[in-house]
Structure formats: structure tokens, C-alpha cells
Amino acid sequence: MTTSSGTSRIVLAVTEVSSTVVVVTWRGAGQITACLDALAAQDRPHRTLVVDNASDDGTARLLAGHPSQPRVVRLPRNAGYAGAMAAALSLVDTPLMAWLNDDAEPEPGWLGALEDALGPAAAASSRLNRPDGTPQCVGVRLTADGYGADTLDAPAFGFCGGAALLRTDVLREIGGVPAGFFCYYEDTDTAWRLRLAGHDIVTVPEARVTHRHGVSTRPGSRQFHLWNERNRLLTLVRCAPAWVALRELARFAAITALLPLRRNVPEAANFRIALRVRVLTEVLLRVPAALRARRAITRRSTVPRGQVWRHWARQ
């Protein structure tokens, strides 16, 4: 309230909201409340959009009753993390879009740190810590065989999709989120496309998040390895130099064919022949669409694929 010449007038301060935080949940009753509580404690204003992948465990009731009153979009079926993020992208009307897992709890300064550090970059990656405080990653590195792997080194090739900030318009310009991936590699694929389009990705260790990794997807499970191996190969077909994509497809097929002849085969699910055959089948069925996406990515690219590969691919 200010007073001038005996007349009182109210001065309203309007705070501009730059970011919409998108939380994807599926059967998240065990963790969604803690995630939303952490978002409500952020020191930077924002909008919260929760995409519920047809949860059937009471998640909808918890969302409806949360004091922060997030906007909730309930999908008719489980579209996975990638599918839900793709659906959310059409609904976001702020300049920035944050991705957040429902098993992540950001510290109060998380969003502010990402917004302040973004600068001219297209995306910013958080520091994810395990519940015991040990670090999980500050981003994603690109391995010599085309995997996207957690890294503690900065700068990183890409961001971890569990907690990141992206420019909404740039994400749309590079083709959005690969909804068909369902789960895993939507972040690495997006990082590839950002790099090819000449955009930068910054690493922000000050933006801290506690992450209970794999609450919904059980890393190491058969389904995890199916998504992980399939989507790695599809990402390479879409984004990598052709010789890299062909080499990794051939290597995956050769290892699969030779497994019956090997002794001491690892117990991991991704060395089971049936799973690997399914991976190859799904990749081959999706190759036509992946090649169409590759041509569109090429049209939008300003940096050669080989240059991105040589700069970022490491052991």
C-alpha cells in the first residue's frame, strides 16, 4: 500500500512464470505426494502439470487432494514416460518446460538454479542424488557404442530426463519427444537432436534432486532391457552417423546369433536370446519410421552427425 496526496492506491506486483514443471506418474501413490510437496516448496514460481498414465492405485485421489492443486491430465492408457511427455508438450504455454520423475524430490532452489543457469542454452541438466546422498549423475555421456550413460563429469553430452529444464519452443522445433520410445532414451535422443541443431546443453550441479531411481521400471528387469536396447538402436538410426547405426545393429545381431555357442553367458536379462530377438524384431518394424525421422532431423540440422559423434562419443 502506498499513499500519495492523502489517496491510497494498491500497487500489484505481477510475477512472471517462466516454467511449467511436468511430472509423469504411473502407479505413483508411493511417491507422488513427496514429489509435489517438494515442488510446492520451490523458491521460484512455476506451474505444475501432472500427466497420470492411467494409474489404478489411488494416485488420482492423491493428486486431487494435494494442497498445491496441480493441473492433472489423465491419459486413457499408460503411454510411458516418453508418451506422457509428448502429450504434455502440446499443453505447455510457458517458455520453459521442466521434466521431472515422480520419484524425484527437488531441493527448494532446484528450479531457480536451472532457470538462472540456462542462459542461451536449450536445456539444463540437474544433479541427481540417490536417497543416501551419493551422486547418481549430473547428465548423460555418449559412449563409444552409442549408449547414453549417467555421468558425473561436466560438461555432459545430454541431460537426464528425470530432472531437467528445456526451452519449449526449441523442443517443438526439433521434433518434440519421441513418444513411441515409451520409456528410456527419450532424453538421449532429444540431446542428440539438440546438438545436431546447434544448441547447447548446460550442466547445473547446484540444481539438486533426490532420486529414487527405477521405482516404477525396475532397472535390470527384462522390460527395462527391452526398452533400453531397442531405444538405443532406434536413437542411433535416427540421429547417429550411418556407419555407427549400421555397426551397432550388426553387432547386436551378431552377438545374438553367437550366444548359443558361447560358454559362461552372463545372467543379465539382456543376454537372453528371446529378449534380444524381440529387440531386433521391434527395431526392424520401426526402422521405416525411424528413417523418416532421420530425414526430418537432417533437414533441421546445422551440425554434421560425424562432428557430434567425434566430439562426444567416449569409452
Side-chain angles (χ1 to χ4, degrees):
M1 182 84 68
T2 61
T3 303
S4 176
S5 303
T7 303
S8 297
R9 57 188 176 87
I10 298 175
V11 178
L12 299 177
V14 178
T15 303
E16 182 180 356
V17 175
S18 297
S19 300
T20 297
V21 181
V22 179
V23 180
V24 174
T25 189
W26 175 71
R27 296 180 180 174
Q31 62 268 6
I32 191 63
T33 297
C35 177
L36 292 178
D37 288 347
L39 280 179
Q42 292 297 299
D43 58 18
R44 190 64 58 89
H46 63 279
R47 299 173 187 168
T48 301
L49 169 62
V50 181
V51 183
D52 181 4
N53 267 321
S55 299
D56 55 5
D57 65 341
T59 296
R61 174 180 54 79
L62 293 174
L63 292 173
H66 196 271
S68 67
Q69 298 182 317
R71 180 184 180 186
V72 178
V73 174
R74 182 175 171 84
L75 300 183
R77 60 177 180 81
N78 184 3
Y81 192 75
M85 275 296 172
L89 181 57
S90 65
L91 304 173
V92 172
D93 58 3
T94 51
L96 305 176
M97 173 185 183
W99 296 14
L100 190 67
N101 281 4
D102 67 351
D103 57 4
E105 298 174 38
E107 292 184 1
W110 166 72
L111 182 59
L114 289 175
E115 288 185 353
D116 292 344
L118 186 62
S125 182
S126 310
R127 176 189 175 100
L128 279 69
N129 292 329
R130 301 181 183 90
D132 64 3
T134 59
Q136 175 191 330
C137 71
V138 297
V140 170
R141 65 187 176 92
L142 185 62
T143 72
D145 47 6
Y147 282 96
D150 288 346
T151 185
L152 294 173
D153 296 327
F157 167 73
F159 58 90
C160 173
L165 184 68
L166 293 89
R167 293 193 182 279
T168 309
D169 58 347
V170 173
L171 181 57
R172 288 176 177 144
E173 287 167 5
I174 65 166
V177 185
F181 279 22
F182 191 84
C183 193
Y184 295 116
Y185 274 82
E186 64 282 329
D187 50 5
T188 303
D189 183 278
T190 300
W192 256 110
R193 289 179 288 123
L194 287 172
R195 295 289 186 189
L196 289 170
H199 296 289
D200 196 13
I201 299 167
V202 295
T203 305
V204 191
E206 300 79 17
R208 296 184 180 90
V209 174
T210 298
H211 185 216
R212 290 192 285 160
H213 178 55
V215 168
S216 299
T217 55
R218 295 186 299 120
S221 67
R222 183 179 185 279
Q223 194 63 56
F224 167 86
H225 282 296
L226 171 63
W227 292 326
N228 200 59
E229 298 288 0
R230 180 195 71 188
N231 293 346
R232 172 184 70 105
L233 295 172
L234 288 172
T235 294
L236 295 177
V237 172
R238 287 161 51 94
C239 301
W243 68 267
V244 174
L246 290 171
R247 183 195 69 189
E248 292 305 315
L249 283 166
R251 177 182 293 174
F252 191 91
I255 292 173
T256 303
L258 293 173
L259 274 176
L261 305 178
R262 290 182 58 180
R263 297 180 180 180
N264 302 318
V265 175
E267 292 295 324
N270 59 327
F271 282 92
R272 304 277 71 84
I273 294 176
L275 182 143
R276 296 179 71 89
V277 169
R278 181 173 174 186
V279 168
L280 286 169
T281 301
E282 292 199 11
V283 169
L284 290 174
L285 289 173
R286 294 167 185 241
V287 159
L291 291 176
R292 289 194 295 272
R294 183 182 180 88
R295 289 191 289 271
I297 292 166
T298 299
R299 289 194 296 271
R300 292 188 291 264
S301 295
T302 60
V303 180
R305 287 182 165 87
Q307 181 175 323
V308 174
W309 179 261
R310 287 190 299 272
H311 184 79
W312 292 104
R314 300 288 187 273
Q315 293 294 336

